[in-house]
Amino acid sequence: MKESSPLNLYKQLPQTNCKECGEQTCMAFAAGLIDRTKKVEDCTPLIKEKKYAKKLDTLKSIVSPELALVLIGTGEKQVKVGGEDVMYRHQMTFFNKSPFAYDVADNMDEAKLVERVKKISTWRKFYIGKWEQVEMIAVRSVSDDPAKFAACVKKVMETSDYPLILCSFNPKVLRAGLEVAAKNRPLIYAANKDNWQEVAKLADEFKVPVTLSVPFDLDGLKSMAATFVGMGLKDLILDPGTAPNGKKLQESLLNFIKLRRAAVEEAQRDIAYPVMALPINAWLTTQDPVRAAYWESVLTGAFVIRGGAIMIKHSIEAYSMMPDMHLRFNIYTDPRKPVQVKPGLYKVGTPGPESPVIVTTNFALTYYTVESDVASNSINAYILSVNTDGIGVQASVAGGQLNPTKIKEAMDETGFDWKGQKYPAIMLPGMAAKFSGELEDLFAGKAKIMVGPEDSGRIVGWMKDFWPPK
Ligand code: SF4
């Protein structure tokens, strides 16, 4: 969506302020369309009344993302691929984080296959208030045997409800997989210069998204995309080739950038599709599994920041997955909204009358750092997360979002029973030490104000020296 002014979207709305969309005004709805908290379909008069048909078409074309959005899978686990509007995150935000698909192969022993699928689909990591996880499973045909592939796909589907990528260049193998899995809308990988006619027929027959693989030939890729679109197939993913090392890797990275630029800056609609990266190719570079897993992680990071919209990977070792999960989390976090936790009083461990109340802000990174430092040292405490609009301690002290009145009000809102505390005291972050005098006055007769360390990593030492208060 090139449009960033709600006023221009407002012009295409009925302008009746009927509130059916859940907003008070059409202008608020227009603003919601820009930040994607609202969909065009939420404006029922626009959808239902024929007199708005032209406006509806115009609005849809304005709000459609620069990079096509492709949906894979169905139901809750469905993944959104692409749908981005900007080249760089800081220009607005990225919306749909690249799904990571981990591979299984149809030549695996059944017990090992089930074990790996379970590991992939239960992997979780709690990071800054959210669970990071794998999104997809890529089923690779190594046997090139349609019956074996179909049996493998069936077993994977019995074990996990994750969306699938069916991987083979053999149309017969792909057909066998689709006959089992098509109802779950898998992605097929891939059409290439040899098989594209048969694979296009499969995508059309089974109504599934398809990957176009034309390595290191952007003109060939563009031409194939145009051919598929001409056949009415619009759910396309592009595979421009992922070389795992050397000069070709440089070419791969440049191709990813060129494709994203063509889509969002040059509005080349015929190539504005999400791009797939294959960090799994790192395994072609070495026999050493640790080096391969490490290099796969490096490649993943490189392609995440260059617009890889979906990836196929192999290593499920934590040391390979965690850096990629963290990097992806941060790249796909909205820079316009600091990650926040709900303000309020939280219990860490089993706090009681002898526990301190530790004050921090509701910036998620700050909150979870404090919580982790407290919990990992087996300290039982209350943590008061003060609403600073998601700004950290140092900046909110400087900017006034954290101040003595706000701390007092936040504490009062929790209804905390100070009388039940053996040591009624508040630990103020060291960086907010200048509030201690004013807070002493505000909490007079209720709680003592103690200045804690500037770094929550030192809370454990602080507790040894200063708790319980003398
Ligand atoms: Fe305006 Fe449509 Fe919302 Fe009604 S439903 S307030 S017409 S945007």
Side-chain angles (χ1 to χ4, degrees):
M1 175 166 51
K2 285 260 185 266
E3 191 51 69
S4 59
S5 162
L7 197 58
N8 291 334
L9 301 188
Y10 173 79
K11 287 177 193 161
Q12 308 305 328
L13 293 170
Q15 301 174 16
T16 57
N17 297 336
C18 70
K19 302 185 178 60
E20 280 186 41
C21 56
E23 292 292 347
Q24 294 298 311
T25 62
C26 295
M27 187 61 88
F29 180 78
L33 287 175
I34 284 179
D35 65 19
R36 297 202 198 177
T37 52
K38 291 285 172 189
K39 302 191 296 292
V40 172
E41 291 71 23
D42 296 334
C43 175
T44 36
L46 189 68
I47 299 291
K48 285 187 182 160
E49 295 178 34
K50 280 195 179 148
K51 62 181 176 183
Y52 297 129
K54 200 167 165 215
K55 285 188 168 203
L56 176 62
D57 282 349
T58 310
L59 189 63
K60 275 189 173 169
S61 82
I62 296 175
V63 301
S64 68
E66 298 301 317
L67 188 66
L69 175 69
V70 177
L71 304 177
I72 306 170
T74 54
E76 275 185 11
K77 295 274 184 344
Q78 184 177 67
V79 293
K80 294 177 177 175
V81 184
E84 306 297 349
D85 281 324
V86 291
M87 184 82 195
Y88 305 107
R89 170 184 180 266
H90 65 262
Q91 292 171 306
M92 180 168 56
T93 183
F94 294 149
F95 289 96
N96 300 309
K97 69 180 177 187
S98 335
F100 289 164
Y102 283 78
D103 78 316
V104 295
D106 67 352
N107 62 346
M108 289 174 79
D109 165 78
E110 186 175 308
K112 286 206 168 129
L113 173 71
V114 169
E115 187 191 341
R116 182 167 165 87
V117 171
K118 282 185 180 165
K119 267 191 190 166
I120 291 169
S121 44
T122 54
W123 194 92
R124 299 269 186 288
K125 168 77 171 72
F126 193 69
Y127 182 58
I128 316 184
K130 288 193 177 151
W131 287 101
E132 281 299 291
Q133 61 189 71
V134 173
E135 289 78 23
M136 304 182 75
I137 296 172
V139 188
R140 290 191 297 117
S141 169
V142 176
S143 67
D144 204 34
D145 176 338
K148 271 196 179 164
F149 187 66
C152 179
V153 171
K154 186 163 178 282
K155 186 48 74 181
V156 172
M157 288 173 66
E158 284 167 5
T159 316
S160 166
D161 59 353
Y162 275 28
L164 302 181
I165 305 178
L166 306 181
C167 307
S168 172
F169 290 117
N170 181 341
K172 289 194 182 111
V173 170
L174 286 176
R175 172 173 286 281
L178 284 169
E179 280 167 357
V180 178
K183 62 178 186 301
N184 290 353
R185 198 177 158 77
L187 169 68
I188 48 179
Y189 179 94
N192 62 17
K193 282 182 175 170
D194 300 323
N195 69 10
W196 66 268
Q197 284 168 307
E198 288 154 288
V199 174
K201 275 187 205 147
L202 289 174
D204 185 39
E205 181 183 338
F206 289 96
K207 307 287 175 243
V208 290
V210 58
T211 314
L212 313 183
S213 177
V214 188
F216 309 105
D217 175 7
L218 292 188
D219 289 338
L221 189 58
K222 188 172 177 175
S223 153
M224 191 184 285
T227 307
F228 272 61
V229 171
M231 296 166 83
L233 299 167
K234 292 185 179 161
D235 288 327
L236 309 179
I237 304 277
L238 308 178
D239 169 19
T242 303
N245 53 19
K247 278 267 172 211
K248 277 282 181 193
L249 171 56
Q250 194 178 15
E251 187 181 336
S252 295
L253 294 168
L254 279 175
N255 283 345
F256 273 65
I257 294 168
K258 281 182 192 168
L259 286 168
R260 173 62 73 97
R261 185 158 284 144
V264 304
E265 290 186 346
E266 296 159 12
Q268 294 188 34
R269 309 312 318 157
D270 46 359
I271 200 125
Y273 294 96
V275 181
M276 176 185 278
L278 302 173
I280 192 173
N281 288 351
W283 291 79
L284 303 172
T285 63
T286 172
Q287 299 292 317
D288 178 346
V290 176
R291 287 184 71 85
Y294 154 76
W295 191 241
E296 182 178 33
S297 176
V298 172
L299 286 180
T300 304
F303 284 100
V304 162
I305 59 177
R306 285 171 182 81
I310 178 170
M311 315 217 174
I312 300 182
K313 291 158 58 66
H314 178 72
S315 174
I316 54 172
E317 296 297 336
Y319 60 79
S320 181
M321 294 176 87
M322 301 260 277
D324 301 333
M325 291 286 179
H326 290 176
L327 177 72
R328 184 181 68 165
F329 176 96
N330 287 302
I331 295 287
Y332 283 87
T333 299
D334 189 341
R336 300 166 304 175
K337 301 180 206 152
V339 198
Q340 303 179 26
V341 294
K342 204 170 158 205
L345 193 67
Y346 292 84
K347 290 180 179 177
V348 182
T350 49
E354 302 191 0
S355 303
V357 175
I358 300 172
V359 170
T360 190
T361 76
N362 75 325
F363 175 41
L365 191 56
T366 305
Y367 174 82
Y368 284 108
T369 306
V370 175
E371 191 219 39
S372 159
D373 287 332
V374 171
S376 61
N377 287 296
S378 305
I379 298 168
N380 296 314
Y382 298 96
I383 300 182
L384 178 70
S385 150
V386 180
N387 187 356
T388 57
D389 297 326
I391 299 174
V393 175
Q394 193 170 20
S396 60
V397 168
Q401 292 87 353
L402 188 68
N403 58 54
T405 311
K406 214 158 183 184
I407 296 171
K408 175 72 167 53
E409 284 172 0
M411 199 65 225
D412 287 352
E413 273 169 28
T414 68
F416 189 71
D417 176 20
W418 286 110
K419 287 189 186 132
Q421 291 302 100
K422 187 170 174 188
Y423 310 114
I426 287 174
M427 183 203 290
L428 203 56
M431 286 177 187
K434 68 175 186 179
F435 300 154
S436 60
E438 205 175 323
L439 273 174
E440 286 282 1
D441 294 341
L442 292 172
F443 281 93
K446 276 190 175 175
K448 179 181 165 72
I449 306 300
M450 302 175 78
V451 176
E454 291 196 351
D455 176 350
S456 64
R458 296 201 198 129
I459 287 179
V460 62
W462 185 93
M463 291 289 287
K464 276 182 198 146
D465 293 341
F466 301 108
W467 196 265
K470 306 276 182 310

